Amino acid sequence: MSDRNTTHFGFQEVAEDEKARHVADVFDSVAQRYDLMNDLMSGGLHRLWKAFAIAKSGVRAGARVLDVAGGTGDLALSFARKTGASGQVWLTDINQAMLSRGRDRLCDKGFIVPVARCDAEKLPFPDDYFDCVSVAFGLRNMTHKDQALGEMRRVLRPGGRLLVLEFSQVWKPLAPVYDFYSFKVIPRLGEMITHDAASYQYLAESIRVHPDQEALKLLMERAGLEQVEYFNLALGVVALHRGFKF
């Protein structure tokens, strides 16, 4: 019998040291059509959810911002517009294909920002450096969420805040319809658009094994964040959690 620790990869149990590779395979596969699929799956609502996160960030001109698991750069672009030339926005992701698309998107919009391929569980930044750290739709793919949250807190300066935008637990009366859409419609869209139904099956499953609103709030508090609160969006399909470092 194996003594290796295991973790969730969707509904599967995999060895902890293998999850990152499985997740990398998913995002290598979907990177080219990731933005199109986000628009199709959410009916464009993901743009409003991200705009809400930016509004709650409190980021102003001159701020230092770290976007973790920043993917194709939606949030980093919005933050760069907020911080201006006097600020600093870092775009990071563990997946090179996603990071390259994010870097190219920002360059195309006229923003040259520093990028780093790194693991959220081992951030290569000094303590007490950033005014704001964000992670949008990336936390659920991390193997050790508690360790990643601890790292995000570590690099925040006192008074800084962490924003976690993530799929969460939907309003219960809506759950049957949401389940049908997640497991029947989204994988078919994935097959049509990216020729990869399996990756979108995983993404639907990963939402179901991610901590719900209260459980994630508790995880953030255990990581040392304070005044943690959350805002349900789209009847709980998505939640924005915000916590501070004092």
Side-chain angles (χ1 to χ4, degrees):
M1 186 174 179
S2 174
D3 60 358
R4 298 169 76 187
N5 292 330
T6 61
T7 188
H8 292 292
F9 177 72
F11 291 159
Q12 301 177 53
E13 288 284 328
V14 299
E16 283 189 349
D17 57 3
E18 293 178 359
K19 179 172 178 176
R21 175 176 58 82
H22 289 299
V23 172
D25 289 343
V26 168
F27 286 97
D28 283 342
S29 175
V30 305
Q32 293 299 314
R33 298 290 182 91
Y34 184 77
D35 295 315
L36 174 59
M37 278 296 294
N38 279 350
D39 280 330
L40 291 173
M41 289 188 300
S42 71
L45 285 174
H46 75 99
R47 298 173 184 272
L48 298 178
W49 300 333
K50 291 167 183 173
F52 181 78
I54 296 293
K56 289 292 184 182
S57 71
V59 166
R60 299 176 181 176
R64 292 174 177 172
V65 181
L66 172 64
D67 189 21
V68 176
T72 56
D74 283 1
L75 282 184
L77 178 59
S78 294
F79 281 130
R81 287 171 171 154
K82 287 276 189 183
T83 62
S86 61
Q88 185 181 88
V89 178
W90 277 85
L91 172 63
T92 71
D93 203 289
I94 197 171
N95 183 272
Q96 185 61 51
M98 296 288 284
L99 188 62
S100 295
R101 284 189 64 80
R103 177 202 60 207
D104 292 348
R105 165 183 271 178
L106 269 78
C107 286
D108 289 345
K109 298 291 186 180
F111 293 93
I112 309 301
V113 305
V115 300
R117 183 182 181 186
C118 62
D119 186 340
E121 297 174 17
K122 305 171 196 171
L123 292 173
F125 301 103
D127 296 355
D128 305 327
Y129 187 78
F130 292 101
D131 299 290
C132 180
V133 176
S134 66
V135 55
F137 305 112
L139 184 65
R140 73 183 190 284
N141 297 313
M142 297 173 190
T143 305
H144 304 102
K145 296 176 181 62
D146 55 346
Q147 188 172 326
L149 290 169
E151 276 290 274
M152 293 180 219
R153 181 194 178 279
R154 177 184 66 77
V155 301
L156 277 173
R157 67 165 181 80
R161 53 267 180 216
L162 170 64
L163 301 172
V164 181
L165 184 65
E166 189 56 89
F167 291 106
S168 200
Q169 184 169 297
V170 71
W171 182 50
K172 288 190 183 299
L174 189 62
V177 174
Y178 184 52
D179 285 346
F180 177 83
Y181 180 71
S182 297
F183 293 109
K184 300 298 183 184
V185 177
I186 286 178
R188 289 183 183 178
L189 274 176
E191 179 62 33
M192 290 170 57
I193 303 301
T194 69
H195 308 295
D196 183 358
S199 289
Y200 283 93
Q201 179 75 22
Y202 157 72
L203 291 172
E205 291 176 1
S206 68
I207 296 168
R208 291 350 188 249
V209 296
H210 183 67
D212 65 15
Q213 289 90 330
E214 285 293 330
L216 180 52
K217 180 175 183 281
L218 183 59
L219 268 180
M220 291 175 67
E221 289 170 343
R222 287 177 174 169
L225 292 151
E226 299 179 56
Q227 294 183 10
V228 180
E229 59 184 336
Y230 60 84
F231 308 87
N232 281 320
L233 307 174
L235 299 175
V237 169
V238 168
L240 174 68
H241 284 68
R242 181 176 64 179
F244 293 83
K245 175 180 177 178
F246 295 117

